[in-house]
Amino acid sequence: LTQAEMVRIEQDILGKNDAYAAANRKHLAAHGVFALNLVSSPGSGKTTLLVETIRRLAGSMPLAVIEGDQQTEFDAERIRATGAPALQINTGKGCHLDAHMVGRALRELPLPERGLLLIENVGNLVCPAAFDLGEAHKVVILSVTEGEDKPLKYPDMFAAADLMLLSKVDLLPHLTFDAARAIDYARRVNPKLQVIQCSATSGEGFDAWLGWIAAGVAQAQNP
Amino acid sequence: LTQAEMVRIEQDILGKNDAYAAANRKHLAAHGVFALNLVSSPGSGKTTLLVETIRRLAGSMPLAVIEGDQQTEFDAERIRATGAPALQINTGKGCHLDAHMVGRALRELPLPERGLLLIENVGNLVCPAAFDLGEAHKVVILSVTEGEDKPLKYPDMFAAADLMLLSKVDLLPHLTFDAARAIDYARRVNPKLQVIQCSATSGEGFDAWLGWIAAGVAQAQNP
Ligand SMILES: Nc1nc2c(ncn2[C@@H]2O[C@H](COP(=O)(O)OP(=O)(O)OP(=O)(O)O)[C@@H](O)[C@H]2O)c(=O)[nH]1
Ligand SMILES: Nc1nc2c(ncn2[C@@H]2O[C@H](COP(=O)(O)OP(=O)(O)OP(=O)(O)O)[C@@H](O)[C@H]2O)c(=O)[nH]1
Ligand SMILES: [Mg+2]
Ligand SMILES: [Mg+2]
Ligand SMILES: [Zn+2]
Ligand SMILES: [Zn+2]
């Protein structure tokens, strides 16, 4: 394989993915669904955040969850324990969800008409950045235990996201993490990035996060 | 691209990588170098661990560091501040180091004859598992803030490693993390996995870690 062949193969993979993503987006728009693609390092708190989000939404809108992981059904089970429908995708050796997988999942799940679709990607701050799933927004979760420098060191993900949730802020008293610096770094990569500081443990930031979701759902219902 | 073509391309990439890895391994063995490939999620504490390790080794053996990151020279600069030589590899869109990159780095770095080579991979709990760099061991770092379930959800990396460092144990009093459960999960994936619980902040576990390194260096010197 030469360098040129590699580039052609990557373009082929991403081109096919973009076609599937466009189909997903059209399908979701036709049903007024607001779809989010949650991306982060492993263990930044995506599932814990989703469980707390669903608990607070308390059935106020239709919703469904797609879970991506290399192995296990653990995350889908945590979601189902809230009463919400969840479909688990196991990627095996794969390091990200792609739009074809999500399209198939959309045919199996009850579609949340005029509601919310939450897609939790495989925990990986690199590869999922390149794959459009047909979502309205990528939401990147950065936990305060990971260090302030992550946006500059893994910039593609922070460039691809529209919202950053700075998670686990309840742990700040026990860390040297400088939240203002992390946000400054993230905005150097993506000046338009919105930021909400939150904690699933203390509940901090959930009003802002739920408000942001409500605005997106309203827009998807009345485009 | 068909499924069969994809499989062939992946085999081609991994086959070429394995050939470069074998060359690196031979070169390192000829010079009695003990080489470690540190892998983990972003922000699990790899660089902090390396800095503290180098500080404690205090020049007692030749050593050199190869740093892998998508962007920035930050980690190499942190290593150089200790006085140790470090070479930064920026992978750009890439999500892992490969053996060809490491082979080139070995020609630029002063080789730590009869000493220690520390390779810090890109923070990614998925993709680096498949790429042999010519190291003696992969060392996986799991921080206690990531949750106990990571070994079962991202099993390839824990299967590929010989040692797991359970890092940031100084934070345990502030978390619900169950260390025994995380270790049990990791050993379900890899029954032979050795485990050291450590903290770069408190110094816990560093005697065991430095002892493990010293044994490996001694063996590389007298194979
Ligand atoms: N202190 C604190 N811990 C949290 C918070 N949110 C999640 N955690 C903990 O962080 C760890 C990982 O949480 P998960 O929700 O499994 O993270 P994730 O991003 O879904 O992980 P993967 O899907 O495996 O990549 C668990 O031990 C959680 O209890 C938070 O707001 N504060
Ligand atoms: N409490 C505590 N924090 C730690 C420890 N080790 C590292 N950290 C913190 O964890 C964050 C990430 O540390 P790094 O050493 O940059 O982690 P890394 O794995 O090298 O990160 P990348 O190379 O970017 O993937 C920083 O804020 C460190 O201060 C530890 O033992 N205890
Ligand atoms: Mg999860
Ligand atoms: Mg590092
Ligand atoms: Zn990938
Ligand atoms: Zn990858």
Side-chain angles (χ1 to χ4, degrees), chain A residues 29-164:
Chain A
H31 294 269
V33 178
F34 183 57
L36 298 177
N37 177 2
L38 280 86
V39 288
S40 81
S41 304
S44 297
K46 298 177 292 299
T47 309
T48 308
L49 179 98
L50 289 183
V51 165
E52 184 60 17
T53 301
I54 294 166
R55 203 186 64 73
R56 288 177 182 242
L57 287 173
S60 63
M61 60 178 74
L63 71 83
V65 178
I66 296 174
E67 284 290 342
D69 279 295
Q70 283 196 281
Q71 294 295 349
T72 81
E73 189 96 0
F74 292 170
D75 281 4
E77 283 162 6
R78 289 168 66 188
I79 299 295
R80 285 184 207 122
T82 69
L87 192 133
Q88 181 77 50
I89 299 173
N90 281 147
T91 58
K93 299 273 161 203
C95 53
H96 58 267
L97 294 177
D98 66 35
H100 184 242
M101 298 170 186
V102 169
R104 273 183 307 178
L106 286 176
R107 289 196 289 275
E108 292 180 43
L109 267 176
L111 201 69
E113 296 268 347
R114 298 170 61 78
L116 180 63
L117 175 68
L118 297 160
I119 307 170
E120 180 180 340
N121 221 309
V122 179
N124 181 337
L125 207 48
V126 183
C127 314
F131 289 82
D132 183 7
L133 305 179
E135 71 273 1
H137 306 284
K138 281 193 179 71
V139 176
V140 63
I141 292 96
L142 175 66
S143 59
V144 295
T145 55
E146 294 172 64
E148 301 88 350
D149 55 2
K150 297 302 156 286
L152 295 180
K153 297 182 61 195
Y154 302 83
D156 292 353
M157 193 64 92
F158 295 85
D162 295 312
L163 174 65
M164 174 168 93

Side-chain angles (χ1 to χ4, degrees), chain B residues 50-132:
Chain B
L50 289 182
V51 165
E52 184 60 17
T53 301
I54 294 166
R55 202 186 64 74
R56 286 175 184 243
L57 287 173
S60 63
M61 60 179 75
L63 73 83
V65 179
I66 297 173
E67 284 290 343
D69 280 295
Q70 282 196 282
Q71 294 294 347
T72 82
E73 189 96 2
F74 292 170
D75 282 2
E77 284 163 4
R78 289 169 66 188
I79 300 295
R80 284 185 208 121
T82 69
L87 192 133
Q88 181 77 50
I89 299 173
N90 282 148
T91 59
K93 299 275 161 201
C95 52
H96 58 267
L97 293 177
D98 66 35
H100 185 241
M101 297 170 187
V102 168
R104 273 183 308 179
L106 285 177
R107 289 198 289 276
E108 291 179 42
L109 267 177
L111 201 69
E113 297 268 347
R114 297 169 61 78
L116 180 63
L117 176 68
L118 297 160
I119 306 171
E120 179 180 339
N121 221 309
V122 179
N124 181 337
L125 207 49
V126 183
C127 313
F131 289 83
D132 182 8

Side-chain angles (χ1 to χ4, degrees), chain B residues 1 3 9 12 25 28 38 49 59 68 79 92-93 106 109 136-138 144-145 190 202 210 221:
Chain B
L1 281 177
Q3 193 68 22
I9 289 163
D12 187 63
R25 188 166 281 117
L28 293 166
L38 280 86
L49 179 98
I79 300 295
K93 299 275 161 201
L106 285 177
L109 267 177
H137 305 284
K138 282 193 178 69
V144 295
T145 55
N190 182 349
S202 73
L210 292 175
Q221 288 173 344

